[in-house]
Amino acid sequence: MELLSGAFELYTAAAYVFLDPTTIALLLLGGVIGAVFGLLPGLTSTMALALMLPFTLWMEPEQGIVFLIAIYATSVWAGSSTAILVNIPGTPAAMVTGIDGYQMALRGEAGRAIGAATTASAIGGLLGMVVLVLVAIPLAEVALKFGSWEMAALVFLGLSLMAFVSGRSIVKGMIAGIFGLLLKTIGMEPILGYPRFTLGMADLLSGLALIPVLIGFFGVAEVLTQLGKKEMRIKITQRVVGVFSVFSEIRRLPGVLFRSSLIGVFIGAIPGSGPAISSVTAYAIGKRVSKRGKEFGTGITEGVVTAEAANNACVGGALIPMLTLGIPGDAMTAVLLGALMFHGLTPGPLLFVNNPVFISSIFISLTFSSFLILLFGLGGARLFAKVLTVPSYILLPLIAFLCMVGAYAIRNSLFDIGVATVTGILGYLMRKVDIPPAPLILGLVLGPLFEDNVRRALVLGKGSVIPFFTRPISLSVLILTILVLFGPPISRMLRAKIGRRAK
Amino acid sequence: MMKRKSGFLRFARILLKPETLVAVSILAVTALIFYASRDYPEGTIAEGGGAGFYPRSLAVVWVILGIILALGSLRRKEETWPSMPGIPRRFLVFLVILLSFPYILGLLGFLATSFLSLLIFVSILKPREGPWTIRAIIRWILTPILIAGVATTAIYALLWWGVKIPLPKGELFSFGILGGDGIIIWSF
């Protein structure tokens, strides 16, 4: 009971922020921007967040986060329409939505599929938010007791998980993660204030600013990648009609919605995962346990619902570790974490004590975002489908322009434009050799936390690393990390050996 | 002679993989890290290490990972180079615009630089459609101007009037009568 009333109190703390028409306007604007970025293949949620972050500088922190959360939530949803209409996922999160969704569209049921995806996304998003609200306070209370050892071990676990899930090779993922940590060592070091690797440039004394780097890796690099590809023109042949007609069918699927949402929240809460992994997992599980499992992939509403409830529930899930521990669940929340720091807030459990209104703004905007998804998906599906026909010769220059302006605007610095450019080229090259950018961003975001806690733990332990292994939480986190890092290759080796013996 | 050459080529092919390139870059950057941090204040581990302790430790782990990556790729025989279907012209143009943007911005100021870069970028990306009728030519010329103009004005309005951040006016225009807002006259 106490938990519930505490959660309710926290949830409503920012209610007054939403009485301000500016907040609502920003929520709507964020929703539209998110939807556009989500719809267009090649533009991702992370890119939308990174590009829009500089513009929150002039908003109140609460309003800024409302704006960004709306972008996050609607962009995760909007990719589904593209997947359904043209069988290209607008965002990676919509990958499996297209399996059934496109089959439905081929039968002329694009409207029904979009209706199903929208409703499932909204309900999944709401359920994810409820879990977030309920779990956040107790988790934050536990996290408040963490010492330097636990924090350092957690950051390490987060990086390992991110490396594990974000690419095909965990070694490449770790290389990217450490690269991020190393990039963050540029500038004054945290304990002595000694300037490191500044190459004599005054601009580097305070370190690489996070946002230009984000813009580089997710904006500039993406534009470069798109330019290297052959241009594709999207043509929509489907008519979007009857989005509401799917309701009667969805009403019979509460179990599916609930199951998928829970999977989504759970997977989302694991640092390093993300909406794409949530929906793939939920779809795979759904295929196995559902009565109509065999029909998955032939174009059934249940398939679309299974995928879409999970990826939007994941939004709430991914916010759990970010808010309570200060460790982001995916690249999108890494950007959100950057937004927090940008507004001078320290992410982590203390935020619940020091700034409940901010936390509450996140909760309430998640709720509103679910309704926005319903409004956009059911009311404006046809209008949003038009966005897909915007040609890339308009889109790419505008994105590139926004990258430059955004990088400049944060500190009015031409140097930051250079940072965005260089990191963009670097990001492009990394993509070419298949090194994922997400662990790098995590390393960059968590760098100071990691260095500070590792070095502090060493000081507190008088130079000994033994406390890392004798403190129960720290030890269990480290064991988990070892499992993540060495589990897959060992099991692969064992399986190969068993296979050989069987032959 | 021929045989040796093909043997060398095969050897080079085994060695020259994206993974080895990554490993070599890691080694090079690590060497730089160690070189740059040679004079950093030292500290014992019990003091949490000196300023160079943390980056150097990270770099060591990095090198180990790089070597694992390179060794892993050596076992693979197939070609793993990313496909490079010839670098398109638009790619290079964009790169040039990108790299010169901060310099030109400092020189010409926000309005002129934005307008010109957008204009060039849109024109190079926009495909020519159909035969060269007068209408097509007008459209071909006007579309980039329109896009560049609208985008530049919108962002200028947002940044300058909306949130009031100082935008670079350009050194070329920071003197005489044209100082200050003269640039607006110049670019429109």
Side-chain angles (χ1 to χ4, degrees):
Chain A
M1 241 8 247
E2 200 186 319
L3 172 78
L4 276 182
S5 68
F8 183 74
E9 205 175 299
L10 182 64
Y11 179 82
T12 48
Y16 71 89
V17 176
F18 290 82
L19 292 177
D20 184 348
T22 322
T23 313
I24 302 297
L26 286 172
L27 187 91
L28 272 170
L29 182 67
V32 173
I33 293 173
V36 169
F37 273 77
L39 271 166
L40 292 162
L43 309 191
T44 59
S45 315
T46 320
M47 188 206 255
L49 289 170
L51 282 183
M52 289 302 137
L53 212 169
F55 295 100
T56 65
L57 179 59
W58 303 279
M59 305 175 191
E60 295 293 317
E62 287 82 14
Q63 293 181 330
I65 200 76
V66 167
F67 177 65
L68 292 175
I69 290 278
I71 293 179
Y72 184 15
T74 52
S75 63
V76 170
W77 152 76
S80 64
S81 300
T82 323
I84 290 165
L85 287 170
V86 286
N87 204 18
I88 303 165
T91 55
M95 241 164 9
V96 284
T97 313
I99 301 179
D100 279 285
Y102 187 60
Q103 293 299 326
M104 288 177 76
L106 285 181
R107 284 203 307 260
E109 296 177 16
R112 276 172 68 86
I114 291 180
T118 303
T119 322
S121 290
I123 294 175
L126 279 177
L127 284 174
M129 187 272 302
V130 170
V131 175
L132 167 68
V133 175
L134 290 179
V135 174
I137 300 179
L139 245 180
E141 274 168 7
V142 175
L144 273 175
K145 298 193 182 87
F146 284 4
S148 289
W149 298 273
E150 284 78 18
M151 279 322 286
L154 265 176
V155 172
F156 196 49
L157 175 65
L159 278 175
S160 314
L161 279 166
M162 190 72 125
F164 175 53
V165 295
S166 57
R168 265 176 288 173
S169 144
I170 192 165
V171 177
K172 284 183 178 172
M174 277 317 271
I175 286 177
I178 293 184
F179 190 25
L181 291 175
L182 277 171
L183 279 178
K184 201 61 210 177
T185 61
I186 296 173
M188 305 250 237
E189 56 104 33
I191 295 185
L192 306 165
Y194 189 82
R196 293 185 296 204
F197 313 118
T198 54
L199 309 171
M201 287 188 233
D203 284 303
L204 281 178
L205 267 182
S206 54
L208 280 180
L210 179 68
I211 295 161
V213 180
L214 284 172
I215 290 175
F217 273 105
F218 293 104
V220 177
E222 189 60 53
V223 175
L224 282 170
T225 311
Q226 300 283 330
L227 284 175
K229 276 189 203 159
K230 260 206 164 143
E231 195 185 351
M232 53 179 186
R233 266 275 168 90
I234 292 176
K235 267 217 176 93
I236 298 170
T237 46
Q238 302 291 333
R239 278 184 58 225
V240 183
V241 282
V243 279
F244 294 97
S245 66
V246 78
F247 279 178
S248 56
E249 201 175 338
I250 291 182
R251 244 195 329 215
R252 277 179 275 130
L253 299 171
V256 176
L257 278 168
F258 197 66
R259 181 186 67 218
S260 253
S261 301
L262 278 189
I263 296 172
V265 177
F266 181 74
I267 303 272
I270 301 172
S273 61
I277 296 162
S278 314
S279 56
V280 171
T281 315
Y283 193 81
I285 293 178
K287 204 169 172 174
R288 219 170 261 185
V289 300
S290 164
K291 270 185 225 145
R292 298 182 67 186
K294 283 204 177 117
E295 291 167 58
F296 270 48
T298 59
I300 57 171
T301 313
E302 193 180 324
V304 175
V305 169
T306 306
E308 276 303 305
N311 68 27
N312 264 78
C314 170
V315 172
L319 286 168
I320 295 174
M322 179 207 129
L323 288 177
T324 57
L325 306 172
I327 293 176
D330 51 29
M332 279 87 92
T333 37
V335 182
L336 286 178
L337 199 78
L340 255 68
M341 300 198 249
F342 184 54
H343 282 283
L345 298 163
T346 315
L350 273 176
L351 202 57
F352 284 78
V353 184
N354 297 339
N355 215 327
V357 174
F358 187 80
I359 301 270
S360 160
S361 306
I362 294 180
F363 293 165
I364 302 181
S365 54
L366 270 178
T367 318
F368 275 118
S369 299
S370 277
F371 291 106
L372 266 189
I373 289 173
L374 276 183
L375 179 77
F376 290 169
L378 301 179
R382 245 178 283 180
L383 194 72
F384 276 104
K386 286 237 161 59
V387 173
L388 280 174
T389 53
V390 175
S392 67
Y393 68 83
I394 298 183
L395 213 61
L396 289 179
L398 287 185
I399 297 290
F401 183 45
L402 273 180
C403 288
M404 298 292 105
V405 171
Y408 170 82
I410 311 155
R411 303 197 289 195
N412 306 333
S413 139
L414 293 176
F415 181 79
D416 282 346
I417 298 185
V419 170
T421 307
V422 172
T423 49
I425 296 171
L426 203 64
Y428 172 76
L429 292 176
M430 277 171 56
R431 264 169 218 224
K432 280 283 162 195
V433 293
D434 210 15
I435 293 184
L440 187 149
I441 295 305
L442 199 67
L444 205 61
V445 170
L446 296 179
L449 191 70
F450 190 54
E451 171 164 18
D452 211 30
N453 281 303
V454 167
R455 291 175 67 181
R456 197 165 303 205
L458 285 175
V459 173
L460 290 172
K462 298 191 176 63
S464 159
V465 288
I466 292 170
F468 277 111
F469 304 101
T470 51
R471 295 173 65 102
I473 299 178
S474 158
L475 177 69
S476 20
V477 173
L478 283 177
I479 290 176
L480 255 177
T481 313
I482 290 169
L483 280 179
V484 170
L485 286 178
F486 299 104
I490 289 175
S491 81
R492 216 179 310 140
M493 265 194 305
L494 283 178
R495 237 181 290 154
K497 214 167 223 177
I498 291 166
R500 238 178 285 147
R501 206 166 279 174
K503 267 183 193 168
Chain B
M1 195 66 195
M2 279 307 287
K3 205 173 178 188
R4 255 177 74 194
K5 196 177 171 192
S6 77
F8 174 76
L9 271 183
R10 207 178 323 144
F11 183 66
R13 189 170 280 184
I14 291 173
L15 269 187
L16 270 179
K17 288 193 166 132
E19 282 86 356
T20 14
L21 217 64
V22 171
V24 170
S25 322
I26 288 178
L27 270 174
V29 177
T30 302
L32 286 177
I33 289 174
F34 272 82
Y35 178 74
S37 64
R38 67 194 183 286
D39 294 332
Y40 288 179
E42 294 295 329
T44 60
I45 304 268
E47 292 161 7
F53 163 72
Y54 170 76
R56 282 199 292 252
S57 324
L58 283 178
V60 170
V61 182
W62 211 32
V63 167
I64 296 173
L65 286 168
I67 293 172
I68 294 175
L69 184 73
L71 287 181
S73 76
L74 287 186
R75 276 185 305 176
R76 241 190 3 240
K77 283 204 186 85
E78 83 269 30
E79 205 56 47
T80 46
W81 280 103
S83 58
M84 283 273 194
I87 299 171
R89 192 171 49 145
R90 50 200 186 142
F91 186 91
L92 294 175
V93 171
F94 177 58
L95 219 53
V96 170
I97 295 181
L98 209 59
L99 288 170
S100 54
F101 196 82
Y103 302 102
I104 300 180
L105 197 58
L107 207 64
L108 294 185
F110 177 81
L111 279 171
T113 314
S114 308
F115 182 75
L116 288 176
S117 349
L118 276 168
L119 191 71
I120 297 171
F121 198 17
V122 176
S123 334
I124 214 104
L125 282 186
K126 187 169 164 26
R128 267 169 276 165
E129 282 157 6
W132 281 109
T133 56
I134 294 188
R135 224 174 127 202
I137 293 173
I138 292 175
R139 257 181 58 187
W140 188 69
I141 296 172
L142 274 187
T143 321
I145 295 179
L146 202 71
I147 298 170
V150 169
T152 308
T153 320
I155 291 287
Y156 184 79
L158 178 72
L159 294 183
W160 186 242
W161 290 306
V163 289
K164 299 197 170 40
I165 67 165
L167 291 165
K169 281 180 178 154
E171 281 167 28
L172 280 187
F173 301 96
S174 58
F175 52 87
I177 297 172
L178 282 183
D181 286 337
I183 191 166
I184 297 178
I185 304 163
W186 190 85
S187 57
F188 287 105

